[in-house]
Structures are given as C-alpha cells and as structure tokens.
C-alpha cells in the first residue's frame, strides 16, 4: 500500500515534520484497460440505468472501470480514479457506485457520470475488504476490513453536504475521519433508515457492529436490510441486525477463514465459502448448518447464486467454477481459468469471473435454467467432508469442464511483476506477467523499448552502465504498474548535464536537476490552469508567491554555483514532457490527512493539497540545494616528473567528468600568474579548493611547463580513467573505499 507521508500536527514535538510524499503512477499506453488483477465485479441492468447494461470492475491497479454491455460485447465507457491502493470490492446502491480499498476508505461515485468521486468516507483503521447492500433499501451499505471493524452506513446521510460554516473540506474533518466519533447516537426510522440524532452539523458517523476480534473478509445483507452476515479469520459466521449493530447469533463449523457469504432474499438461508475448501448452507432460523458441499480442491473465495437460491456458482484458488444444486447436491465443473478466482457475478445466462489476471471473463451459465448445464454431463455428487474433492482428484476422477472457452473476454494489460532501476536513474527495466521485458524512461513516463520475451537478467546485464547517480526516487509495482515516489529533500540530489539529455543549444556546463524537471512536467497542466493571484493577493509580504522566479534571481552562495555557471535551466530546457494520451496519475495527501489520486491532465488548478515543496519547485524553480559535491585529493602519479599543483582537498560536482579534471591540471601547469579570482579561476573549471586559497608558489615554480600544452591522464588506483567518467562513477566503481577519493595525474605528451 502507498503510505503517504503525514503532514499532521507536530506541535509540542521536537521531531521535524515529515513533508508529504509525492507519487506518480505511470499508466500503460492503453489506459482503457486494467493493468492488474480484478478484485470485484458489479452489474447495473438497463432497467435500473435507464440506458444500457453496465459492468463495473474494480482492480488492484486502484481504478474502477465501466463497461457498456450491448449486442454481446462490452465496450469501455469510463474510468473511476481516486483510490490510491487496491480496490477490494464495489457494489451498486441505487444510482451510486460504492467502492472500498486498501487505502482504508470507501468512495461514492455516480454510476453514470464521468468518473468523479462524489464522497470519500473515512472510518476504518485498516484495509477495507468487503461491502454489502440491501437491494430494497437503497441507502444502507455495510463495510468490513482487516481492522476487525464492521460499519453500517446510511448513504443519504453520509453524502449529505456538510454545513459551510465548518472550516473543513466537504467530505473531511481535520482528524481525517468523516464526522464525529463513533459514540454519536443514531436512531432507526420507521422505514428502517438510519437517522443521525447528533445535533452537530459537521458530519455523520456510521453504526458500528462491534464483536469481531480479527479481520473481516466477507459480508452480505438481505434485501430489506434487516439481517447482515459477516465472516473472516475467526472461522465463524456472525449475524447482526444492521439497523442497530446488535449481535443476533454466531455460527460455527468452518475450520479456516471465511472468504465469501451469500444470504437469500428472505434472510432465512446463508451460504458460506471458506479456505477449508467447503461450502456450507446455514438455516439462520435454526442457527445451524444444514448442508456441507465439498466440490473444490482448495479455498473457496467467490459465490453467486441463482435468483431462487436453488443453485450456487462457486470459485476460488483452484481456478475452477462449479455449479451445485443445493437440494440434490449434484455438482458440475462449469469451467476452468488460468488464474485464481476472486469474485463472481451472475447476470442472466452469463457468469462474469474476476481473477488475479487483469482481464475479465464471461462464461455461459444458463442462470435462468441451470438444469441445462447438468444435462451436458460430467456431474458428480458433492461430498460433505473437507478436501474430499481433492482426494478424488488424486484418485484420477477429476471432472471435465462443461465449457472450454469463455463467451466474452474484456482484455487487460499484463501487470508488471519485476522491475530494476538502471544506474542512470532515469531508465527502469520491467517484466510483466506474460514475460515481456520493456525499458521505461520515468522522466517521460513512457516505454522507450520493448524487447519482447527475453531473459530479464540477461537484458539487465546488457544494459548495465558504469555510471553513478544518486537514488533520487523509490519505486514499487504494487498496482501492476510503476509507482515512483518522491520525498524531499533527497529527491533533489540527482543532477545531469543538459548535453547528456541532447538539449539543443545547452551550454556544456549546464546541469539539470532530474526531480525539478520531472515535477515541472507533471504539474504543467496544473500550473497552466491555476488561477493567477492579483497584485494585492500576496500574503505575509512574500513577493515571490505565485510568481515564476528564475533561479538566477535566487541567492546562491558562491560555493553552490557549480561549473562557473548558474543553472538557468528554465531558460533553456523545456520540462520533461509526459503523454496526454496515457497520462500519469499523481498520488499525494490532502491537508486533512487523506490521500488522493488524479491524472495530471485532470488537474484543474484548484487542487490546493499539492505538497508545498512541489509547488515551489514547479512554479518558482526553488528546491533544497542538496550536497552534490565530491571531495578528492589530486596528486602527481608515482614516478611522474610533473610537480604537485594543489595543496589540500578539492571539491567539485559529483557529475564532473574526468576530462574536466584533466583540463584543470593542464591549466595549472601552464598558468603564468597566481589565481586571482578572475573568470579563468578554478571556479570556471568547477573545482574549488578545500583551503581558503590555493598555494601560488607551487604554480609560479612550473617554469619547464609554462610555455607548453601538455596532454594529461588521470588515474585512480593505478587505473587510467576514461575522460567521460564522472567523479561519482570513479568513486563508486574504481576507488571503492570509504575515505576521500585520491586521483593522480601524469603528463603523457607535450606539443
């Protein structure tokens, strides 16, 4: 999960405040497809939408997508993007889509809108794993998660606008939770709706169903919202009254985690699927298990029933979907998939299957007449003992699937499963789930080369460069794509010469800060759309706020001006350009502590929660000046007749090339007068002395060399260095010692 650095209150603490982290997520060229496993499915019929049938999918890539289902085909319709971690479940509640995520939040969306989040609900302390809704009571939603918490929400109250007199964001209060503490009282109206009795106008709190001691993995609710069932790592099914949060009963029987639950419309029967491979049918009136079905060879993670609750479709870790008659115990293997099954959704004669793959599959199901499937043969009688199906498979009696190919496939993009940051700190090598190896340039957010299905390790060795650049970012591929994390001030530690980026017209000594130009490129749309402050809108007398401040106007100590030239990068180099076709998304933390995510092209300039240091960098060109210097000693090589031209330690930019050091030596050998601070001084060469002044007597005594232009080699550890090497590269790969770097020089010819 992306843990975004907190910018919370540090009053009374001696510890420095941790600045907010800035993350950008690189999207695949085809951003209409998911790039990670599908955790959840939800279906909206045309009768409810008023237009078409829609399938909603929630993915481990942190996005939801809407697919319009027409004429036997599912076409991309919209992306819903705001969560910053895996989306674990999503349900349709009236005209709202409600989703939950490992970012600990629930989000509410308008099903048929353009994908903008209308409300964020924060109450959970850990990953939110599952949701449930009452079909005939379109405002009640239950949520459960790894914190052992179960909350029952009244959506009408939860998404109601908050009084403007409160100094907080519409969907948040300063402590990061939505509304007051859990102790707030709620009443149940005669219609069964939950009504807050809190007289305060600044928020709403859900009802808490307290009782779970550990993680909750599954929830379901009957149509009228009078019964709620939950299950998780405690191996028991708990039954609640969602109107009050009170406990009704606890059902024991499973021997492992409960991962899926279904309750019939009347609230009399409940089905449960467990990691013990069993499906159990419970009679809630009798408070006991009336049937057990052993059809799977491994954990059961997903259940879907026919409208009459007479048949159940089940899937799980064994990658198989079974159809079971609950009364006759007859079961048939409907289909097999290439990946574990995470959720099922039955719509008429199609069973939609979500797996750990990024694609979605629709299989024939005969949902209206499931007996037709049994007529195709291959059925067996479900046992009632745990793992009896596994034993039967070992004995060679594994069933044959009724259907070999799905009716529909909504393809996804293969998820990235391996990545390696190259030494130049701009390129990243990746490998995806189908074995394709690609090279990304993260400062442009694009694939620059697709090598196909080759050896990742061999390609990594082939692309190795002997170059040393500071680690200015961290990275993960948890979302199935690359997420690049920037933290201040360390992200500003990496510089590169503009000529190495093939910048036309750039001075030879112009250095580019990689984080600076990356942030400029990511926030260019935000900057263009940001309202410009008026002449009297500046606060605290800071005349630089809201203005573009060139680096040349900022005060720099002389020792910070490297290579004798100020870094007028803004005047020469356009910011790194990111695609507008498949733009990256940014993730950061709001002022009240909650993270948010948005595509860079969707930024409208009103986002005031961007980290201040990113804004100052992108708009004003100001950023912390990290120590980019390298200290070293420069002496004649052993046996060389060349005199010693320096005393004490020298300092130069880490990216300074060996060629510059050689030129410095040449200058010193032919210099006819003491260093006087003129433009021809050591500063012009990017070198400064560790002492207050260089010893001039050594230079004045170089009479044999004064009129000559010697050719000089630079050595380290008796190895001649390539002129193109940087000091950082020499220190990392040649010197390899913790103490200060020692370089030697020798004259190889004169002319």
């Amino acid at each position: 999960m992306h843990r975004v650095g907190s910018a919370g209150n540090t009053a009374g603490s001696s510890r420095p405040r941790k600045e907010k982290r800035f993350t950008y997520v690189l999207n695949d060229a085809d951003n209409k497809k998911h790039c990670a496993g599908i955790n959840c499915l939800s279906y909206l019929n045309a009768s409810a939408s008023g237009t078409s049938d829609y399938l909603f999918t929630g993915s481990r890539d942190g996005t939801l997508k809407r697919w319009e289902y027409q004429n036997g085909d599912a076409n991309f319709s919209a992306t819903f993007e705001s969560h910053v971690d895996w989306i674990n479940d999503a349900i349709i509640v009236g005209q709202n889509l409600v989703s939950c995520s490992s970012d600990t939040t629930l989000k509410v969306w308008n099903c048929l809108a353009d994908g903008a989040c209308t409300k964020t609900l924060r109450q959970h302390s850990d990953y939110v794993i599952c949701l449930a809704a009452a079909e005939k009571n379109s405002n009640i939603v239950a949520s459960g998660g790894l914190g052992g918490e179960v909350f029952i929400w009244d959506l009408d109250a939860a998404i109601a606008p908050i009084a403007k007199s409160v100094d907080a964001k519409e969907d948040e209060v300063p402590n990061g939770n939505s509304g007051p503490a859990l102790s707030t009282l709620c009443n149940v109206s005669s219609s069964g709706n939950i009504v807050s009795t809190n007289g305060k106008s600044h928020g709403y709190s859900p009802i808490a169903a307290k009782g779970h001691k550990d993680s909750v993995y599954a929830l379901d609710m009957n149509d009228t919202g009078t019964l709620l069932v939950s299950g998780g790592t405690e191996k028991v099914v708990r039954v609640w009254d969602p109107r009050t949060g009170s406990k009704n009963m606890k059902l024991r029987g499973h021997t492992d985690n409960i991962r899926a639950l279904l309750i019939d419309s009347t609230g009399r029967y409940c089905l449960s699927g467990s990691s013990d491979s069993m499906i159990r049918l419970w009679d809630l009136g009798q408070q006991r298990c009336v049937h057990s079905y052993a059809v799977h060879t491994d954990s059961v993670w997903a259940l879907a029933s026919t409208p009459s609750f007479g048949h159940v479709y089940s899937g799980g870790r064994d990658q198989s979907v079974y159809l079971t008659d609950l009364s006759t115990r007859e079961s048939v293997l409907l289909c097999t998939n290439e990946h574990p099954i995470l959720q099922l959704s039955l719509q008429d004669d199609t069973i939609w299957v979500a797996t750990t793959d990024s694609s979605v599959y629709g299989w024939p199901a005969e949902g209206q007449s499931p007996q037709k499937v049994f007529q195709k043969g291959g059925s067996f009688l479900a046992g009632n003992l745990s793992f009896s199906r596994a034993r039967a498979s070992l004995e060679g009696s594994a069933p044959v699937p009724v259907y070999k190919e799905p009716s529909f496939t909504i393809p996804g993009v293969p998820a990235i499963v391996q990545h390696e940051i190259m030494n130049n700190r701009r390129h990243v090598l990746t490998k995806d789930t189908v074995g394709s190896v690609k090279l990304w340039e993260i400062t442009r957010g694009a694939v620059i080369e697709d090598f196909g299905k080759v050896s990742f390790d061999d390609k990594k060795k082939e692309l190795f460069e002997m170059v040393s650049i500071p680690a200015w970012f961290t990275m993960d591929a948890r979302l199935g794509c690359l997420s690049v994390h920037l933290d201040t001030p360390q992200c500003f530690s990496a510089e590169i010469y503009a000529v190495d980026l093939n910048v036309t017209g750039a001075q030879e000594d112009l250095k580019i800060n990689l984080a600076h130009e990356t942030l400029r490129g990511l926030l260019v749309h935000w900057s263009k759309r940001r309202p410009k402050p008026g002449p009297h809108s500046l606060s605290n007398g800071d005349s630089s706020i809201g203005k573009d401040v060139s680096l040349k106007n900022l005060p720099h100590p002389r020792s910070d001006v490297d290579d004798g030239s100020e870094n007028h990068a803004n005047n020469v180099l356009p910011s790194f350009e990111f695609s507008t076709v498949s733009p990256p998304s940014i993730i950061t933390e709001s002022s009240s502590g909650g993270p948010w995510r948005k595509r860079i092209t969707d930024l409208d300039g009103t986002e005031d929660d961007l980290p201040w240091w990113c804004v100052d960098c992108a708009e004003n060109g100001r950023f912390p000046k990290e120590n980019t210097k390298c200290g070293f000693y420069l002496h004649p090589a052993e046996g060389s007749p060349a005199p010693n031209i320096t005393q004490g330690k020298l300092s130069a930019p880490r990216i300074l090339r060996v060629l510059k050091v050689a030129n410095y030596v040449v200058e010193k050998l032919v210099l006819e007068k003491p260093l006087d601070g003129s433009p021809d001084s050591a500063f012009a060469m990017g070198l400064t002395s560790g002492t207050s002044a260089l010893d001039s007597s050594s230079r004045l005594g170089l009479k044999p060399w004064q009129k000559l232009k010697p050719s000089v080699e630079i050595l380290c550890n008796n190895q001649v260095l390539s002129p193109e090497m940087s000091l950082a590269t020499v220190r990392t790969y040649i010197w390899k010692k913790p103490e200060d770097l020692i370089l030697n020089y020798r004259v190889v010819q004169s002319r």
Side-chain angles (χ1 to χ4, degrees):
M1 174 181 173
H2 299 283
R3 300 291 188 185
V4 184
S6 173
N9 182 17
T10 56
S13 172
S14 60
R15 297 177 60 185
R17 184 182 71 175
K18 180 176 175 60
E19 299 295 351
K20 292 190 290 186
R21 165 176 283 188
F22 184 91
T23 295
Y24 64 98
V25 182
L26 302 183
N27 296 309
D28 192 270
D30 192 349
N31 59 16
K32 294 181 179 180
K33 298 177 180 179
H34 285 298
C35 65
I38 310 299
N39 278 347
C40 55
L41 302 161
S42 195
Y43 205 90
L44 182 65
N45 291 311
S47 58
S49 69
T51 53
S52 304
D53 286 359
Y54 291 103
L55 177 68
F56 295 85
T57 54
S59 171
R60 295 178 177 182
D61 63 16
T63 70
L64 297 119
K65 294 188 184 294
R66 183 178 67 212
W67 311 88
E68 187 174 7
Y69 186 61
Q70 285 184 332
N71 303 321
D73 198 10
N75 298 306
F76 172 81
S77 177
T79 294
F80 298 77
E81 185 169 3
S82 181
H83 284 295
V84 302
D85 209 333
W86 289 13
I87 293 174
N88 296 317
D89 204 0
I91 55 174
I92 303 293
V93 185
Q95 291 296 311
N96 291 313
L97 175 69
V98 182
S99 58
C100 67
S101 167
S102 296
D103 64 15
T104 75
T105 71
L106 283 75
K107 289 185 181 286
V108 184
W109 323 73
N110 185 319
C111 285
L112 304 179
D114 58 359
C117 176
T118 58
K119 191 72 174 181
T120 299
L121 305 176
R122 296 185 174 93
Q123 198 77 47
H124 284 268
S125 62
D126 209 332
Y127 295 3
V128 193
I129 301 298
C130 50
L131 299 170
E135 186 172 328
K136 293 182 180 180
N137 195 341
S138 61
N139 67 315
I140 295 182
V141 174
S143 59
L146 299 190
E149 301 151 327
V150 175
F151 296 120
I152 301 101
W153 305 81
D154 178 348
L155 281 191
D156 289 345
I159 66 178
I162 298 173
K164 293 183 179 179
S165 60
V166 180
D167 185 18
K169 296 190 69 170
E170 180 178 334
D171 63 342
E172 297 164 347
V173 290
N175 64 3
N177 293 327
S178 177
L182 278 176
S183 58
T184 301
L185 297 178
C186 293
N187 285 340
V188 181
S189 68
S190 58
S191 63
N193 295 344
I194 304 169
V195 181
S196 174
T197 60
N198 178 25
K200 299 179 181 179
S201 61
H202 62 269
Y204 158 83
S205 285
I207 288 178
K210 298 180 179 179
H212 278 284
K213 300 179 179 63
D214 215 333
S215 301
V216 178
Y217 284 131
L219 292 171
D220 201 24
M221 199 182 300
N222 68 335
D223 286 356
T224 57
T226 57
L227 281 179
L228 172 70
V229 290
S230 62
T233 55
E234 294 174 79
K235 309 171 190 176
V236 298
V237 178
R238 293 181 182 270
V239 184
W240 314 82
D241 183 340
R243 297 165 294 184
T244 61
S246 59
K247 306 174 189 177
N248 283 2
M249 66 189 80
K250 185 164 57 176
L251 307 172
R252 302 180 183 275
H254 284 294
T255 59
D256 208 335
N257 300 340
I258 295 171
R259 300 298 301 268
L261 289 168
L262 279 182
I263 191 170
D264 79 330
S265 59
T266 66
R268 178 179 177 182
Y269 293 107
C270 175
L271 279 167
S272 58
S274 168
S275 295
D276 62 13
S277 83
M278 297 295 293
I279 300 170
R280 292 183 179 271
L281 178 64
W282 307 85
D283 186 317
L284 300 184
Q286 299 180 27
Q287 300 190 23
R288 69 184 185 91
C289 176
V290 292
H291 287 296
S292 297
Y293 307 91
V295 296
H296 286 271
T297 59
D298 210 329
S299 302
V300 180
W301 290 348
L303 297 173
S305 72
T306 55
S308 65
F309 214 74
H311 295 77
V312 63
Y313 299 84
S314 57
R317 193 172 180 178
D318 60 7
Q319 306 176 7
S320 301
V321 177
Y322 288 90
L323 172 62
T324 304
D325 187 319
L326 295 178
S327 58
T328 66
R329 307 182 64 84
E330 188 179 10
S331 187
V332 64
L333 176 58
L334 190 74
C335 62
T336 57
N337 294 260
E338 296 181 358
H339 305 275
I341 295 162
L342 301 176
Q343 201 169 95
L344 300 170
S345 178
L346 177 65
Q347 296 300 324
D348 299 326
D349 290 332
T350 300
I351 184 82
W352 293 98
V353 179
T355 72
T356 55
D357 183 38
S358 57
S359 298
V360 183
Y361 305 93
W363 292 85
E366 301 291 351
Q368 302 300 320
S369 304
Q371 288 299 332
K372 292 181 180 179
V373 178
F374 293 102
Q375 293 171 6
K376 297 180 184 294
S379 63
F380 60 92
L381 195 64
N384 57 9
L385 297 176
S386 180
F387 295 106
S388 59
R389 280 296 308 129
R391 286 194 292 271
S393 295
L394 292 174
E395 294 167 1
S397 58
V400 177
V402 174
Y403 299 107
K404 306 295 184 182
E405 299 292 336
S407 304
F408 311 102
T409 300
I410 303 176
V413 176
I416 293 173
V417 293
Q418 190 175 1
H419 68 276
E420 184 77 20
I421 301 171
M422 299 288 96
N423 285 353
N424 62 18
R425 301 293 172 179
R426 289 185 295 120
H427 295 160
V428 175
L429 192 68
T430 65
K431 181 179 180 180
D432 59 31
T433 52
V434 297
S436 182
V437 176
K438 299 177 182 179
L439 188 66
W440 292 73
E441 183 171 334
I442 65 162
T443 52
R444 290 195 296 122
V447 174
I448 57 177
E449 194 159 2
D450 187 342
F451 302 107
K453 296 181 180 180
V454 300
S455 168
F456 182 84
D457 291 335
D458 290 347
K459 183 57 65 174
K460 182 173 68 173
K461 293 177 182 177
E462 178 186 329
L463 296 175
F464 174 79
E465 296 179 74
M466 188 179 287
V467 61
S468 180
I469 303 291
W472 59 282
F473 64 90
T474 56
M475 174 176 283
D476 68 64
R478 175 178 171 81
L479 300 179
C481 47
L482 296 177
S483 296
V484 185
H485 311 295
L486 303 182
D487 292 284
T488 188
Q490 53 266 41
C491 69
F492 296 109
S493 62
E495 294 179 327
I496 189 170
Y497 284 113
V499 293
D500 291 336
L501 294 174
N502 301 317
V503 178
T504 305
Q507 298 177 6
E508 179 184 3
D509 294 335
L510 177 65
K511 297 191 295 294
I512 302 303
N513 187 285
L514 292 177
H516 176 209
E517 298 306 325
T518 299
L519 285 169
R520 287 183 63 214
L522 290 167
L523 298 180
V524 63
H525 304 280
W526 177 83
S527 295
K528 289 179 179 178
R529 298 165 184 170
R530 189 183 185 195
K532 299 301 179 183
H536 304 293
S537 63
L538 302 180
S539 60
N540 300 325
D542 187 353
S543 61
S544 67
I545 297 176
K547 293 184 178 181
D548 293 329
V549 180
S550 172
L551 287 176
K552 66 182 180 181
N553 296 327
L554 299 178
H556 290 282
R558 186 57 174 164
S559 60
D560 283 348
V561 182
D562 300 327
D563 284 11
S565 62
E566 293 177 346
N567 287 314
H568 300 164
N570 290 356
N571 300 334
V572 178
L573 180 73
S575 60
F576 295 146
E577 295 182 9
F578 290 85
S579 169
T580 56
V581 177
S582 55
S585 304
I586 65 169
I587 294 176
T588 190
E589 187 180 358
S590 73
S591 57
S592 60
W596 56 272
R597 170 176 174 172
K598 211 171 190 180
R599 299 215 171 191
I600 60 171
T601 50
D602 292 336
L603 297 171
D604 58 15
T606 63
E607 295 83 4
D608 57 1
D609 285 335
L610 292 172
W612 69 268
W613 57 270
C614 294
V615 174
D616 209 26
C617 173
E619 288 213 319
N620 303 327
R622 296 184 299 201
F623 51 88
K625 194 67 175 178
E626 285 292 278
N627 180 19
T628 58
K629 299 284 188 176
C630 176
F632 65 99
Y633 292 92
L634 186 62
H635 302 308
E638 185 176 353
S640 171
N644 190 356
I645 60 174
T646 63
Q647 288 187 354
K649 186 165 67 172
L650 298 174
S651 177
R654 288 189 299 231
I655 62 173
L656 192 77
R657 294 191 181 94
V658 168
L659 175 63
K660 283 296 191 74
V661 180
N663 290 341
Y664 173 79
V665 174
V666 171
E667 180 192 84
K668 288 289 189 173
L669 292 177
V670 300
L671 197 64
E672 294 184 344
K673 59 182 180 178
L675 187 67
D676 58 3
S678 68
D680 294 327
S681 69
F683 285 109
M685 304 308 299
L687 294 167
T688 57
S689 173
T691 58
S692 58
L694 294 177
D695 184 11
S696 61
S697 62
S698 63
R699 282 186 249 105
L700 294 175
L702 300 182
K703 296 185 183 302
W705 310 97
Q706 282 182 350
K707 305 301 181 182
L708 301 177
K709 294 288 186 179
S711 178
V712 171
E713 286 182 341
I714 305 298
L715 300 86
C716 180
N717 278 344
N718 296 319
Q719 178 178 334
V720 178
L721 303 178
S722 167
E724 297 304 313
M725 275 190 180
S726 68
L727 293 180
T729 302
V730 174
R731 183 174 187 85
T732 301
Y733 295 103
I734 309 299
W735 183 243
K736 299 180 181 179
K737 299 177 184 178
E739 54 264 26
D740 287 324
L741 175 65
I742 297 178
L743 299 180
N744 303 110
Y745 58 88
R746 68 185 180 194
V747 177
V748 293
Q749 65 181 32
S750 300
R751 54 180 171 81

